[in-house]
């Protein structure tokens, strides 16, 4: 009997030890949560119920992400989609209508261009959060804009999937391009050019070799352009080839008629929709260019001196 009792006590002790062991192996780490979210050093404990936008691109991104019901005000330049025109006009990042914004009192104001510090201080004092999402310089940064917006309005856990969904059409369009030849994209008359560290430079490089890819900050001297002599010249809608130095008119691409004017707004206020439309249509413009011609340098002639 004593032996049986001893065995029962041993069994109970083992069960107790086992039970304790299982408890010790349980991790008490909290499950991942959607909030809080921190964007531009601003913390959100929940999705803002209302938002005002001073950026046409960010306004469109909010629509693409499906959070348009949150918008209560927009910039003067927000024009897509058409439904946005019914929202209150609050000016621009350069000249925001601060009193009107405070009167509307959205929980969040978003912009791509920073607003004056005094204006920001006034808004924050009124309880309005201000987030600046700078204009992207690459496709990856554009994806990041979507992801941060998605995190603000939908939480951290689903933000990447939401951004992927918006960016997929652009990724598909880019995957169907074929690079051919070389180009330079001239944006200003002082030779501001889409260099390798710009969104325009990256997107256009899917269609050929960007001769300014090794330069930065839109800096590309005329001498380099003439020396590299690309077989295509791309022009911003703000410039025309006649406005450049006469030497540019001597480039083979110009003499061959291989110049294309680009609607620069797709790079100035980039969204997945705008860039997808550009990529889808740009290939046809390239195909319509005339063949590249070869131009020989005029032969040097020796001047004959007159015999006296």
């Amino acid at each position: 009997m004593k032996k049986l009792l001893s065995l029962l006590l041993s069994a109970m002790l083992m069960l107790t030890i086992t039970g304790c062991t299982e408890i010790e192996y349980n991790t008490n780490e909290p499950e991942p949560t959607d909030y809080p979210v921190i964007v531009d050093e601003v913390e959100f404990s929940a999705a803002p119920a209302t938002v005002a936008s001073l950026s046409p691109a960010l306004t469109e991104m909010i629509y693409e992400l499906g959070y348009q019901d949150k918008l209560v005000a927009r910039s003067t330049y927000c024009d897509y989609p058409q439904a946005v025109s019914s929202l209150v006009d609050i000016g621009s990042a350069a000249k925001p209508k601060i009193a009107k914004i405070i009167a509307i009192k959205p929980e969040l104001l978003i912009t791509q261009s920073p607003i004056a510090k005094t204006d920001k201080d006034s808004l924050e004092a009124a309880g309005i959060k201000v987030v600046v999402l700078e204009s992207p310089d690459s496709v990856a940064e554009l994806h990041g804009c979507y992801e941060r917006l998605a995190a603000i309005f939908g939480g951290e856990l689903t933000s990447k999937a939401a951004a992927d969904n918006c960016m997929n059409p652009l990724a598909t369009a880019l995957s169907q391009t074929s690079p051919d030849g070389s180009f330079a994209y001239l944006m200003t008359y002082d030779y501001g050019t889409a260099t390798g560290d710009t969104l325009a430079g990256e997107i256009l490089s899917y269609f050929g070799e960007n001769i300014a890819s090794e330069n930065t900050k839109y800096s590309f001297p005329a001498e380099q352009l003439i020396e590299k002599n690309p077989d295509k010249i791309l022009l911003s809608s703000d410039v025309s080839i006649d406005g450049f130095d006469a030497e540019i008119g001597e480039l083979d691409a110009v003499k061959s008629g291989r110049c294309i004017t680009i609607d620069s707004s797709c790079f100035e206020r980039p969204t997945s929709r705008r860039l997808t439309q550009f990529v889808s249509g740009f290939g046809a413009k390239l195909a319509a260019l005339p063949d590249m011609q070869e131009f020989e340098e005029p032969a040097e002639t020796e001047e004959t001196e007159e015999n006296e």
Side-chain angles (χ1 to χ4, degrees), residues 54 75 77 90-98 111 113-116 119:
L54 286 173
S75 82
Y77 302 104
I90 53 171
S92 64
K95 294 183 178 180
K97 299 175 182 178
I98 299 300
T111 176
S113 300
I115 61 175
D119 290 339

Side-chain angles (χ1 to χ4, degrees), residues 260-272:
I260 297 178
T261 298
I262 292 175
D263 178 5
S264 53
S265 67
C266 66
F267 299 124
E268 293 167 356
R269 42 191 286 188
T271 64
S272 179

Side-chain angles (χ1 to χ4, degrees), residues 27 43 60 72 83 97 103-104 113 134 180 217 229 241 282 299:
T27 58
E43 181 171 327
E60 183 173 338
V72 293
K97 299 175 182 178
I104 297 168
S113 300
E134 294 184 357
D180 180 32
K217 298 181 179 179
N229 197 23
I241 201 68
F282 189 61

Side-chain angles (χ1 to χ4, degrees), residues 59-68 146 166 271-273:
T59 296
E60 183 173 338
M61 289 182 198
I62 290 172
Y63 270 86
E64 285 185 89
L65 287 163
Y67 295 110
Q68 62 271 18
Y146 280 100
C166 290
T271 64
S272 179
R273 178 192 67 88

Side-chain angles (χ1 to χ4, degrees), residues 61 112 134-139 141-143 145 198-199 267 270:
M61 289 182 198
Q112 283 188 317
E134 294 184 357
S135 189
D137 289 326
S138 66
V139 173
E141 288 185 10
L142 179 61
H143 185 285
C145 286
T198 65
L199 178 62
F267 299 124

Side-chain angles (χ1 to χ4, degrees), residues 100-216:
K100 184 175 285 190
I101 298 171
I102 291 175
I104 297 168
K105 201 171 182 180
E107 289 186 32
L108 170 65
L109 175 74
I110 57 171
T111 176
Q112 283 188 317
S113 300
I115 61 175
K117 185 179 184 304
T118 53
D119 290 339
K120 183 180 179 183
D121 291 343
S122 298
L123 293 169
E124 290 177 338
I128 300 170
K129 294 180 177 180
V130 179
V131 167
V132 180
L133 296 177
E134 294 184 357
S135 189
D137 289 326
S138 66
V139 173
E141 288 185 10
L142 179 61
H143 185 285
C145 286
Y146 280 100
E147 192 167 348
R148 288 191 289 277
L149 282 174
I152 290 172
F153 294 108
E156 195 78 54
L157 297 181
T158 59
S159 60
K160 184 180 184 305
D164 288 346
N165 186 56
C166 290
M167 290 290 290
N168 280 341
L170 176 59
T172 299
L174 289 173
S175 70
Q176 296 171 350
T177 60
S178 298
D180 180 32
S182 60
F183 72 89
Y185 176 36
L186 305 181
M187 305 166 66
T188 62
Y189 287 122
D190 59 353
Y191 298 94
T193 306
T195 47
D197 59 342
T198 65
L199 178 62
E202 179 180 350
I203 292 291
L204 292 169
S205 68
Y206 280 84
F207 295 94
E209 178 195 356
N210 181 4
I211 65 169
S213 62
E214 295 182 1
N215 292 53
T216 60

